[in-house]
Amino acid sequence: MKGKLTFLGISALLAFNNMSCQQSATSKTSTEDSLAASMDSISFKSTIDQKEAYLYELSNKNGVQAYFTNFGARVVGLWVPDNKGKLCDVVLGFSKASDYNNPKEPFFGTIVGPFGNRIAKGKFKLDDKIYTLAVNNGPNTLHGGFKGVHFANWTLKSSDRSSLTFAYTLPDGNEGFPGNIQMEVTYTLNDNNELTIAYRATSDKKTVINLTNHAYFNLNGEGSGTILDHQLQLFANQYTPVDSTLIPTGKLASVKGTPFDFTNLKAIGKEINANDPQLNFGKGYDHNFVLSKEKEGDWYKAAHVVGDKSGIVMDILTMEPGIQFYSGNFMNELVQLKNGKKDSFRTGFCLEPQHFPDAPNQLAFPTTILNPGEVYQTKSLYRFSVK
C-alpha cells in the first residue's frame, strides 16, 4: 500500500492543539487519536461562490499526513517527522476554507496560473495579437491576475489510496488569457515521504501556461519563528536580475560573489539584508534562479533545505528550468494560521519550480506557449527526510 486517501466529507482541518510539532510518528495509534480529537469539520466548512470547499487527506505508512482543499487546489498542511520523531506541520495554512478567500493574502498553498509569476505591464503578444491582462501587482500581472486559478473551485476528478487529481477549466478570456484552458493537478504521496505535484493542461486556442504551487514552508513548523536560520542550497549558477517592479531584465547573471550564491548550503538570512540593489527591489529574495540541470534520475535537482531546529530536510526535484525563491518579505501578520499564530515577517519561504517570469515577453527565455493539440505536462517532487 503506497498511502491512504481520506475524504473528510464535511471539510475538516487539523488544529493540533495550537502546536506545529506533535507526537512521535512511530506511535501511530496515539497519533491518530490525537488527530481525531483535534478535527474541526464545522469551523472549516465554507461555501465559496456557491460551491463547497472540501478537505482531503493523503497519508503513508510513516505517519506523514498531507491535507488539501479543492478551493485553489491547495496544500493546507503537511505533517512530516522531525529528527526526534515528532510530526511537524511544515506548510503554513488556515483552519477555515473561507480564510483562503482573502484578496490580501491569496496565495497560501495554492496552485497559481495560468501563468505563475509576473507578466510585465499585464500584456503579451501572440502572433499578431496583443492580449491585455488583469493588473494586480503594481504595473504587472502576478500569478494569473485577481482570481487566476487560486480563487477557483476545482473539482476532484479522481483519487486512489496514494493520490488525488483536481481539475479546472479557465474560461476563454478570463483575466485576459486566451483559450479554454483545461488544467489538472495531481498530488501523490508515497512511502518514501515524497510528495509529487504533476501538472497537465490543454487549450483550444494558442495561449501561455506556467503552473506551479505557492506553498509557504517553515521546516521548523508552522508558527515557529523566522526562516532566516534555515540552511538553503539552490542548484543554480545563475539567476534572472529584475527591475524595480520585479520584472526580469532579460539577462542571466552569475550568482558567484553575490548574495544570490546558494550553490553551497547557506543560512537564508546570512546576506538577506545586504546593500544590494536586487535585494532592495524585492525587500529580500524574490527572484528566479536558473537551474544548472544537474540530474538525479529523470529529474533536475532544484533545492535542498534544512530546518535548523527540527532537522527536517526538504529536497526539491523538478522538470522545470527555474525555481523562484521568495523569502516571505511581504508577510505582515494579516492572517491567522492553523495553530493560532500570525503570518509574521519572514516566517515562511516559497520555492516555486517554474518557467521564468515574463517569459511571454522575453523571447530568449524558455517558451511558455501552448498550442491547440499540444499537452502541457510537468511535475515537481518534494522529498522529506531528517538530518
Side-chain angles (χ1 to χ4, degrees), residues 133-178:
L133 312 175
V135 171
N136 64 326
N137 185 246
N140 307 314
T141 300
L142 176 65
H143 297 326
F146 290 102
K147 294 200 70 172
V149 301
H150 54 281
F151 282 155
N153 287 292
W154 294 57
T155 299
L156 181 69
K157 181 179 180 180
S158 63
S159 63
D160 58 30
R161 300 183 70 86
S162 62
S163 68
L164 55 87
T165 298
F166 294 113
Y168 177 71
T169 298
L170 188 75
D172 183 19
N174 191 282
E175 303 279 3
F177 289 91

Side-chain angles (χ1 to χ4, degrees), residues 320-384:
E320 290 293 292
I323 189 166
Q324 183 84 6
F325 171 40
Y326 169 59
S327 52
N329 315 311
F330 299 100
M331 301 175 74
N332 195 29
E333 300 193 353
L334 296 178
V335 293
Q336 182 172 298
L337 305 174
K338 295 189 295 292
N339 67 350
K341 300 291 182 66
K342 291 284 189 177
D343 64 321
S344 301
F345 182 57
R346 292 177 178 163
T347 56
F349 65 89
C350 300
L351 285 167
E352 306 157 64
Q354 58 187 252
H355 272 56
F356 300 173
D358 199 37
N361 295 312
Q362 310 255 3
L363 298 182
F365 287 175
T367 184
T368 54
I369 292 175
L370 177 64
N371 291 298
E374 295 178 343
V375 179
Y376 163 90
Q377 292 188 95
T378 188
K379 59 184 179 179
S380 297
L381 180 149
Y382 304 75
R383 178 192 299 141
F384 295 91

Side-chain angles (χ1 to χ4, degrees), residues 35 81 106 120 125-126 160 178 216 236 266 269 285 305 307 310 312 319 368:
L35 296 180
K125 186 177 181 180
L126 283 179
D160 58 30
Y216 285 77
K266 180 176 73 174
Y285 298 104
V305 198
S310 67
I312 293 173
M319 299 172 65
T368 54

